[in-house]
Amino acid sequence: MLALVMLVSLVPTVFATDGSVTVNFSASDGATIIMKEKIAVTDGLAEKYGFEVAGADHNGKEIDEPTIFDAIVAAHISLYGEAFTPETAGNYLVMTYSFITKAFGRETATLGFFANDRMPNDGIYNEGYGSYTGLACDTAEIKENDEIVFFFYQDQFSWGD
């Protein structure tokens, strides 16, 4: 019996996860919208608020972790509280086919985000672009303690700032 107990204790423990992470999130539009704060993000949060999200990225990789878009939804919940509901979410945030066209109540498509000081990408160098291919907000998965920065470009025509 003792040998069995010792053998079982050597097997790695597998912890169940509820698909949630805590990240540091900040948002800016030239002025601060949200100072860096810790927010809890759950996989599938965006769907709970009525948003349709991608099931896989542009390479066909299945999305099964919380995403930057889930974090953006969590930030809206943090900022607007009970005013941000599945029924009112569209007053503050709109995302269609992986493109955000309204965030924090502001309509625009000139916005961006970083995870840990860089644009999330697929890690595959694309010769045609001369860079890696970026991931969309609803396909960029996030991990515990990631630093997420969301921002509006001030130059709305060439995204040059």
Side-chain angles (χ1 to χ4, degrees), residues 57 67 88 105-106 142:
D57 71 11
T67 66
T88 64
R106 177 178 169 182
I142 57 176

Side-chain angles (χ1 to χ4, degrees), residues 20-142:
S20 66
V21 296
T22 300
V23 299
N24 292 308
F25 187 96
S26 62
S28 170
D29 67 353
T32 302
I33 298 170
I34 297 177
M35 294 285 284
K36 184 165 92 171
E37 69 176 62
K38 287 196 174 295
I39 59 172
V41 183
T42 304
D43 183 30
L45 182 62
E47 290 102 326
K48 289 179 185 173
Y49 279 79
F51 295 99
E52 289 187 35
V53 298
D57 71 11
H58 60 275
N59 294 315
K61 179 189 174 293
E62 186 177 326
I63 307 304
D64 57 4
E65 299 289 335
T67 66
I68 285 184
F69 191 67
D70 288 316
I72 293 168
V73 171
H76 278 76
I77 294 166
S78 175
L79 184 63
Y80 297 111
E82 293 179 9
F84 189 84
T85 67
E87 294 75 31
T88 64
N91 297 333
Y92 305 95
L93 180 62
V94 175
M95 190 270 299
T96 307
Y97 299 111
S98 301
F99 291 99
I100 298 172
T101 56
K102 185 179 204 177
F104 300 101
R106 177 178 169 182
E107 291 188 33
T108 183
T110 55
L111 47 84
F113 51 85
F114 290 131
N116 303 317
D117 296 325
R118 64 180 55 178
M119 174 65 188
N121 64 73
D122 63 5
I124 302 168
Y125 190 76
N126 184 315
E127 292 289 336
Y129 296 144
S131 66
Y132 299 94
T133 304
L135 294 171
C137 62
D138 60 340
T139 63
E141 294 178 324
I142 57 176

Side-chain angles (χ1 to χ4, degrees), residues 134-155:
L135 294 171
C137 62
D138 60 340
T139 63
E141 294 178 324
I142 57 176
K143 304 290 183 212
E144 185 73 19
N145 294 318
D146 276 355
E147 299 279 335
I148 309 301
V149 176
F150 178 91
F151 53 90
F152 291 94
Y153 286 98
Q154 299 304 295
D155 177 354

